[in-house]
Amino acid sequence: MKYKIIPKDYIKICIDRLIRFKPVYDRYNRVFNDILNKFLISDANFNKENLDIDALCNIAVEIFNASIPFEYDSNLSNIIFKEEERMFNLSDDEVKFLKSGLNFSGAIRYLNNENPPLNFDKLNIKKVILTEGATEEILLSKFALKLGYNFNKEGVFVLGAGGKNQVARKYYKMVNEIKLPVFILLDFDADETKELILTKLRPQDKIHLIKKGEFEDILPIELIIKSINANFSNNLHCSKDDFDFNLKMTKNLHNLFKNKGFGEYKKAEFAKMVKNSLENTKEENISFEVSKEIEEIVNEIKKI
């Protein structure tokens, strides 16, 4: 079998993709097929499309391990297998991928001086938070940290479903794939989604419906104002007088951005403004109270 040696920078890409928090089959099948497509030198009679899992693993692992200038060591591979088994419901094919003999230990030694270092924190995941969208995905961990609960240290992984209509579909898929407890955070108007999820809710999982409105409605108003004003120039600023508290916060923000010349209001971009402010609160001596509901949500996440 003829093949090209995998460059060091692509070894790093492979390891990063293999450690992400996604179903094992999706990760390994993609990486192993990419290795064959990019580095295997095959003759005209060789058909990569018809390979079974065993053959795919054997060829990809031989190419990968031949590209590592350190002897094979099974220690890290064994740890990874145990952690994947703890987190996921593994199929026979996924077990074959995980036990294929990749030289993880050698690869980490090879990449030891890389910057930034490889991040194996995905192996420490103990619980998953499923949210509707980007605002919660970006901000929830920052509020938790302010309340003394570090998602990274506690193994909490936040996953945005991409909209209210996608949450139930994502959850149905997750309960078949993962063993970890799942905390589902929904907006106030997501009763239909809640009912769909309840039909398959596992004992270790929990749903929280925001009591009124969306996640933006439970953000501290002082923090919202500070975040917007810090992001724009001094001649573009807002105050409490610019908000109609009879409206949903997203409606207020749409109106505010339009009327103040801030441009188009986009949820993810606004969430990043708030994130920046949360990260800078100590440095700038900013004081605000975390809302009672955010505190309640974080306490519920601690308990699952």
Side-chain angles (χ1 to χ4, degrees), residues 158-223:
V158 185
L159 176 66
K164 178 173 62 179
N165 296 330
Q166 298 299 316
V167 177
R169 183 186 65 80
K170 282 269 191 189
Y171 180 73
Y172 285 3
K173 190 169 186 288
M174 290 170 74
V175 295
N176 291 322
E177 292 172 346
I178 71 171
K179 300 175 182 177
L180 304 174
V182 180
F183 181 88
I184 305 108
L185 181 59
L186 299 171
D187 292 342
F188 175 75
D189 62 357
D191 282 319
E192 187 175 336
T193 301
K194 179 182 177 181
E195 293 305 314
L196 288 171
I197 291 173
L198 283 173
T199 63
K200 293 200 174 186
L201 191 72
R202 303 175 302 177
Q204 69 265 41
D205 301 338
K206 182 175 178 59
I207 303 176
H208 182 103
L209 243 69
I210 291 173
K211 293 183 176 65
K212 183 180 178 181
E214 306 167 86
F215 195 75
E216 288 84 356
D217 291 293
I218 60 175
L219 297 177
I221 186 63
E222 296 85 359
L223 180 62

Side-chain angles (χ1 to χ4, degrees), residues 6-16 63-64 67-68 107 110-111 118:
I6 304 174
K8 190 175 183 180
D9 60 347
Y10 198 79
I11 293 288
K12 185 176 181 181
I13 291 171
C14 291
I15 296 294
D16 176 67
I63 297 171
F64 184 91
S67 305
I68 306 297
Y110 186 35
L111 300 171
L118 286 165

Side-chain angles (χ1 to χ4, degrees), residues 223 226-227 230 273-281 286:
L223 180 62
K226 175 62 183 176
S227 302
M273 293 181 204
V274 178
K275 176 186 173 185
N276 290 337
S277 285
L278 279 168
E279 291 174 341
N280 295 328
T281 50
I286 301 168

Side-chain angles (χ1 to χ4, degrees), residues 28-42:
Y28 278 73
N29 189 56
R30 175 191 176 180
V31 170
F32 282 16
N33 275 291
D34 283 350
I35 288 173
L36 266 62
N37 290 331
K38 293 176 184 294
F39 304 104
L40 179 64
I41 303 170
S42 56

Side-chain angles (χ1 to χ4, degrees), residues 105-127:
S105 296
I108 297 309
R109 286 183 65 192
Y110 186 35
L111 300 171
N112 189 46
N113 296 322
E114 292 293 293
N115 188 27
L118 286 165
N119 191 346
F120 273 72
D121 63 349
K122 297 298 184 295
L123 294 177
N124 187 43
I125 294 173
K126 296 180 176 65
K127 58 186 77 172

Side-chain angles (χ1 to χ4, degrees), residues 4 10 22 41 55 75 101 123 156 200 234 277 297 301:
K4 296 177 285 186
Y10 198 79
K22 290 182 178 180
I41 303 170
N75 287 338
L123 294 177
V156 182
K200 293 200 174 186
N234 292 332
S277 285
I297 290 166
I301 292 167

